[in-house]
Amino acid sequence: MSDKKEAGEINTLVASNGSTSRISETGLHLYPVSINDSGEGLPYAPVDWPNAGDKWCWKAGKRVSVSGYIKDRYLYLPKRLRALKEGRGYTFRSRPSIEQYLRSEFPNVDINGFFASFSWMIPAKESASSKGTKMEPSPSDSPLGTITCKAGNRICSSLTAENPLPETMFCDICCTEPGFCRDCCCILCCKTISSDYNGYSYIRCEATAVDGYICGHIAHVDCALRAYMAGTVGGSIDLDAEYFCRYCDSRTDLVSHALKLLNICTSVASSADIEKILNVGICILRGSQKRSAKQLLHRIESIMSKLIDGACVEDVFKKESSADSTGLEQICTSVHCI
């Protein structure tokens, strides 16, 4: 996205309660947003266009320009028009793509009037830095740190410069709620997740949803188990060592997650923590009809039995036999781990 001045863009800076906002040429009050923030309607998306009640949605990308604006921003069709597209092609990543859509669907559209009705430029809370994205403090933050995600989580994965998450689809349900961050809040209980022991206690839905974007919603494994959305569940949901995403209805195989738990435990020194982690794996795998799940469950239960009998941590992961080793290799192969 270019930083040049567009129709209806920023013209005046206004300071209020210690926070700097901007006023566009058309009088819109432009508040600064964080990377990955999203919303609907003004000032960053049209309202009542083309019909009364139609609200377009917007999302801020992960890059910030040197001039202080979100470099990648996205526009989404209102729900009514989205339904007509049957879930495809309602995400716009640039002005030209929007113009192409408008000229195709609304031949008599006033393009300039459309873009003048909202602000394409989005001022960022963050400032660009050669070492990544540097976050500027907001008025509500402690002077000792900065709150940079919607949930106020200073260790939110969205703020990590290394290994950034794939782009996620727009969500106009939970992600528009104040204080909810898709990158660190459980979709079931809305509380933040923990990254302890490589994030063993949560699962992220990485199903490809719309236009190549992933769902990206996360849930505590324990919350999903208690809600009958994980593990092996009968009835209409019919899960077999799987996780069912509440948002997009996609299923994620959990055998690979249980295997991840086992691998995590090989570097954990505390037997109590090992038991806690492996108990999650047992709950995930119990009752499954999958051969790989049964083999892995047998292995985990064998390790748990050793711990209960008082074996030292260094010994519990020793393979009992070559057959057991072969079984684990088969599990790894079936879930694409080796």
Side-chain angles (χ1 to χ4, degrees):
M1 183 183 72
S2 171
D3 290 333
K4 67 182 180 180
K5 195 173 183 180
E6 305 282 0
E9 296 307 350
I10 291 89
N11 189 42
T12 306
L13 293 177
V14 177
S16 176
N17 297 324
S19 177
T20 301
S21 59
R22 302 166 189 262
I23 302 296
S24 72
E25 289 182 344
T26 54
L28 294 174
H29 183 275
L30 309 181
Y31 56 90
V33 307
S34 296
I35 56 174
N36 293 323
D37 269 359
S38 60
E40 63 176 4
L42 296 174
Y44 302 125
V47 294
D48 297 329
W49 200 100
N51 294 342
D54 287 341
K55 277 191 177 183
W56 294 58
C57 302
W58 60 270
K59 180 185 175 184
K62 295 184 178 181
R63 297 190 300 168
V64 178
S65 70
V66 293
S67 55
Y69 300 104
I70 298 295
K71 197 167 186 178
D72 306 304
R73 64 101 77 207
Y74 309 95
L75 201 64
Y76 303 84
L77 290 175
K79 290 181 179 179
R80 183 181 63 82
L81 297 180
R82 201 181 308 169
L84 298 177
K85 298 283 285 183
E86 297 181 345
R88 296 179 179 272
Y90 65 75
T91 302
F92 303 101
R93 311 185 190 194
S94 66
R95 286 178 63 117
S97 65
I98 299 170
E99 291 183 21
Q100 182 180 9
Y101 166 78
L102 293 176
R103 294 187 191 281
S104 171
E105 300 295 327
F106 307 95
N108 298 321
V109 64
D110 177 1
I111 296 293
N112 291 332
F114 175 84
F115 282 105
S117 69
F118 67 101
S119 174
W120 179 258
M121 303 285 280
I122 302 178
K125 285 183 179 179
E126 303 84 11
S127 60
S129 169
S130 59
K131 295 183 179 180
T133 303
K134 181 179 180 181
M135 314 304 290
E136 296 178 351
S138 65
S140 61
D141 291 343
S142 161
L144 299 178
T146 58
I147 296 178
T148 51
C149 92
K150 289 172 65 178
N153 182 7
R154 290 178 173 83
I155 57 173
C156 176
S157 60
S158 67
L159 310 178
T160 305
E162 299 82 8
N163 302 319
L165 296 171
E167 288 289 351
T168 53
M169 65 181 290
F170 177 77
C171 168
D172 57 359
I173 303 177
C174 53
C175 294
T176 59
E177 293 294 322
F180 183 91
C181 173
R182 173 171 15 198
D183 292 310
C184 67
C185 291
C186 172
I187 192 175
L188 299 175
C189 72
C190 298
K191 296 179 180 178
T192 56
I193 52 109
S194 169
S195 58
D196 290 349
Y197 295 124
N198 201 25
Y200 81 93
S201 61
Y202 70 88
I203 185 75
R204 182 185 304 276
C205 178
E206 296 187 352
T208 301
V210 178
D211 294 341
Y213 293 97
I214 69 166
C215 172
H217 288 84
I218 59 180
H220 291 115
V221 175
D222 186 55
C223 288
L225 288 167
R226 286 189 280 109
Y228 300 102
M229 291 184 173
T232 298
V233 182
S236 59
I237 195 169
D238 193 25
L239 300 177
D240 188 354
E242 296 170 298
Y243 165 66
F244 183 82
C245 178
R246 182 178 183 179
Y247 182 81
C248 72
D249 294 344
S250 295
R251 295 165 183 260
T252 300
D253 181 79
L254 290 180
V255 178
S256 58
H257 187 78
L259 184 59
K260 170 187 171 182
L261 303 184
L262 185 58
N263 290 331
I264 288 172
C265 287
T266 60
S267 59
V268 176
S270 167
S271 59
D273 287 346
I274 291 175
E275 289 186 33
K276 179 172 63 176
I277 295 170
L278 292 184
N279 269 324
V280 174
I282 290 174
C283 292
I284 286 173
L285 300 172
R286 183 180 290 134
S288 173
Q289 297 304 305
K290 296 178 180 177
R291 181 183 177 186
S292 59
K294 291 179 179 180
Q295 290 176 324
L296 187 55
L297 178 61
H298 173 75
R299 174 64 174 156
I300 292 176
E301 288 179 335
S302 174
I303 293 172
M304 288 287 284
S305 178
K306 290 181 181 180
L307 288 173
I308 293 173
D309 289 341
C312 65
V313 173
E314 291 77 10
D315 294 335
V316 294
F317 291 101
K318 290 181 179 178
K319 299 178 176 61
E320 292 91 345
S321 65
S322 60
D324 186 50
S325 175
T326 301
L328 280 181
E329 289 177 359
Q330 291 174 345
I331 295 171
C332 287
T333 301
S334 67
V335 294
H336 309 292
C337 291
I338 60 174

